[in-house]
Amino acid sequence: MPSPADDRRYMAAAIALSGRGRGLSTPNPNVGCLIVKASPDGGRHIVGRGWTQKGGRPHAEAQALEQAMDRARGATAYVTLEPCFHLSPRGPRCADLMARAGVARVVIALRDPDPRTDGQGAAWLRDRGIAVEMGLMAQEAAGAMAGFVLRQTLGRPHVTLKLGVSIDGRIALKDGASRWITGPDARAHAHMERARHDAILVGGGTLRADAPRLDVRLRGLEDRSPRRLLLSRKDAPKGWDRIGAPEEIAALQRVDHLLVEGGAETAAVFLRADLVDRLMLYRAPIIVGAGLAGIGDIGLAELAQAHGRWRMTDVRALGVDRLEVYERVRSA
Amino acid sequence: MPSPADDRRYMAAAIALSGRGRGLSTPNPNVGCLIVKASPDGGRHIVGRGWTQKGGRPHAEAQALEQAMDRARGATAYVTLEPCFHLSPRGPRCADLMARAGVARVVIALRDPDPRTDGQGAAWLRDRGIAVEMGLMAQEAAGAMAGFVLRQTLGRPHVTLKLGVSIDGRIALKDGASRWITGPDARAHAHMERARHDAILVGGGTLRADAPRLDVRLRGLEDRSPRRLLLSRKDAPKGWDRIGAPEEIAALQRVDHLLVEGGAETAAVFLRADLVDRLMLYRAPIIVGAGLAGIGDIGLAELAQAHGRWRMTDVRALGVDRLEVYERVRSA
């Protein structure tokens, strides 16, 4: 039997796998699954790996089980979300698949908040004599499937606001020139991040000023360019969908992860509506001085109100630039 | 004999000691000195520690030797700057002091650029049969004595620009409210940093708006409040000295380390004149949106000109805030 530390390591690997489906798996959550089999000599081997595929099928568990074949018998499965139990014309119930494959133990990070499963998947497995543990690294798993979780809890997608800024928070010179604040490593990372989102949104001013393509210009990921959204009161050009206000993101179909790329007024409108869950700042080691600010008027009346809302959760070097990630602190 | 790794460790300790005199030792450089004696059992002991005292005397070496007494005989001395050789009515020549104390070996970080010593201190020691090594961690030592080095090379003090900013680079709300951007840990650190400078400068706008005391409000450091300078065309109030332009800092007597604390226009004027060597940004995890920028117009015509000038050299957490230190990259 794996130790608790082993369990955490395998679950961390399953959570990492789940990231591969982010921006692809809607309308299904981007789940990750790992199947680990003890060998006769006492070692352990990963016999199956899966993550929810494009459009939501196959599910992570189905993919991992197919890879494991009969080696799944007596194995431990690590899943980032409770295996589904609801009947669907699109595929089998994963809880049933697992039971039939003969896994001996299922370790689950997050209970499925979808009322069609919501504990029934785990119960089904337990009823068939399978050891089930739920809650391991639930927070980390929820972070990796943030869009799905927010859809279930707040009824809207997860929103990331991305900015490329200078030390002093500028995104462009006064004349609008923004090429380039950040360097090639940061820009490549930002393109990769696009591929992890279902849709990208900019405001009308950015569309007119920069005519951004918002595509993923990375070899092998060209087909991962997300849907393009415009926040505007006017009609959107061909190839774009329009929303008139930030709150309308709730009604967007098949958008669990939304990336807001600017400009300052669009950023401010989303922040004012408290509809930003994550900030990704690509910060260049340059001073711009007078120039365009990255974030417009968010309606802050007192400094005290600004505190306690954001927590830095990651920072990393990208060439000479740095990526700073902040997440919105929300009381549970 | 200490290994090269030991030598580095002892020199690093001497450099750390030199920091204690920063902001105090003018008109003399803030040197650090460590004397290390081998004991009969093969171990080694630090028998003397010194740093240049307030007003420049005693020198670090004199203080360390006085502490070591006859244990200095046969010992190794680590000094961040070449021991002085010039005659002064204010105290003895450190090179001579060391030779007479009987140290066997002197490890020096930086050769003294002052023409009154400039290699002669080391020569004096060598002529007396003392092993002398020069250059170990010279760059680190130069950084710790940055004000002295710049006085010798560029004829002006070392200038640090300090800002307390939000994620988006704001130092206040639109109405000027800036209490508080950063928290108590960051503010205490900023007060400690004041004590490490010979003078603090603000612009006329900041003086009128905030009437800052610019003192060191930390227990035990109250007497370390530096001299107050005003950048203004008008007369300075009582207790302040005035300069009319950034370039005038070169003429300031006994100011090797200058701290510029704002506001945005003063920061911009110093940056425009390329008279900022270090940026210390205390960054709070808050978004302000529309508000006052920390840095005004620095006359940047193209983004390309902004690159390659700043390098992040340190970052640390201070409560929920972070201190980011950038240093000006200057080709040698």
Side-chain angles (χ1 to χ4, degrees), chain B residues 162-192:
Chain B
K162 173 236 155 183
L163 294 169
V165 296
S166 64
I167 294 173
D168 50 334
R170 301 302 194 179
I171 56 168
L173 297 182
K174 271 179 292 187
D175 63 10
S178 61
R179 291 191 184 157
W180 295 106
I181 297 279
T182 54
D185 293 355
R187 295 205 303 275
H189 191 281
H191 275 256
M192 196 183 65

Side-chain angles (χ1 to χ4, degrees), chain B residues 188-245:
Chain B
H189 191 281
H191 275 256
M192 196 183 65
E193 199 56 37
R194 284 181 177 170
R196 292 161 51 80
H197 285 80
D198 303 299
I200 312 184
L201 181 144
V202 298
T206 298
L207 178 67
R208 284 185 296 275
D210 298 346
R213 291 191 285 161
L214 303 185
D215 51 358
V216 178
R217 292 191 287 277
L218 293 174
R219 278 222 182 158
L221 287 175
E222 297 87 349
D223 65 337
R224 294 286 300 270
S225 297
R227 188 173 155 192
R228 298 185 292 181
L229 296 172
L230 184 70
L231 176 70
S232 174
R233 272 179 233 103
K234 297 179 200 153
D235 281 347
K238 194 165 175 291
W240 293 72
D241 293 320
R242 190 190 70 89
I243 61 171

Side-chain angles (χ1 to χ4, degrees), chain A residues 76-148:
Chain A
T76 297
Y78 298 85
V79 207
T80 62
L81 185 71
E82 182 185 359
C84 67
F85 188 67
H86 54 276
L87 284 168
S88 161
R90 299 182 67 216
R93 301 193 287 193
C94 289
D96 184 46
L97 271 189
M98 285 216 164
R100 285 198 275 133
V103 299
R105 180 170 170 251
V106 179
V107 183
I108 299 165
L110 200 69
R111 179 177 173 139
D112 188 352
D114 186 324
R116 295 172 300 175
T117 294
D118 194 19
Q120 295 187 82
W124 176 270
L125 292 164
R126 283 205 185 96
D127 287 350
R128 265 130 209 93
I130 296 166
V132 176
E133 289 153 51
M134 197 141 62
L136 179 67
M137 300 181 78
Q139 207 181 333
E140 291 88 338
M145 299 181 287
F148 167 74

Side-chain angles (χ1 to χ4, degrees), chain B residues 85-276:
Chain B
F85 188 67
H86 53 275
L87 284 169
S88 161
R90 299 183 66 217
R93 301 192 288 192
C94 290
D96 184 46
L97 271 190
M98 284 216 166
R100 284 198 276 135
V103 299
R105 180 171 171 252
V106 179
V107 184
I108 299 164
L110 200 69
R111 180 177 172 138
D112 188 352
D114 186 323
R116 296 172 299 174
T117 294
D118 193 18
Q120 294 186 81
W124 177 270
L125 292 165
R126 281 202 187 97
D127 286 350
R128 267 132 208 92
I130 296 165
V132 176
E133 289 153 50
M134 198 140 63
L136 178 68
M137 301 182 76
Q139 206 181 332
E140 291 87 339
M145 299 180 286
F148 167 74
V149 171
L150 282 182
R151 269 272 172 233
Q152 297 289 328
T153 54
L154 298 178
R156 63 161 180 88
H158 179 268
V159 179
T160 296
L161 171 62
K162 173 236 155 183
L163 294 169
V165 296
S166 64
I167 294 173
D168 50 334
R170 301 302 194 179
I171 56 168
L173 297 182
K174 271 179 292 187
D175 63 10
S178 61
R179 291 191 184 157
W180 295 106
I181 297 279
T182 54
D185 293 355
R187 295 205 303 275
H189 191 281
H191 275 256
M192 196 183 65
E193 199 56 37
R194 284 181 177 170
R196 292 161 51 80
H197 285 80
D198 303 299
I200 312 184
L201 181 144
V202 298
T206 298
L207 178 67
R208 284 185 296 275
D210 298 346
R213 291 191 285 161
L214 303 185
D215 51 358
V216 178
R217 292 191 287 277
L218 293 174
R219 278 222 182 158
L221 287 175
E222 297 87 349
D223 65 337
R224 294 286 300 270
S225 297
R227 188 173 155 192
R228 298 185 292 181
L229 296 172
L230 184 70
L231 176 70
S232 174
R233 272 179 233 103
K234 297 179 200 153
D235 281 347
K238 194 165 175 291
W240 293 72
D241 293 320
R242 190 190 70 89
I243 61 171
E247 290 74 12
E248 293 176 26
I249 60 172
L252 292 170
Q253 296 297 310
R254 304 189 70 151
V255 176
D256 277 358
H257 294 99
L258 175 66
L259 185 63
V260 175
E261 289 214 8
E265 188 44 39
T266 300
V269 164
F270 271 84
L271 286 164
R272 220 149 49 208
D274 198 10
L275 284 174
V276 178

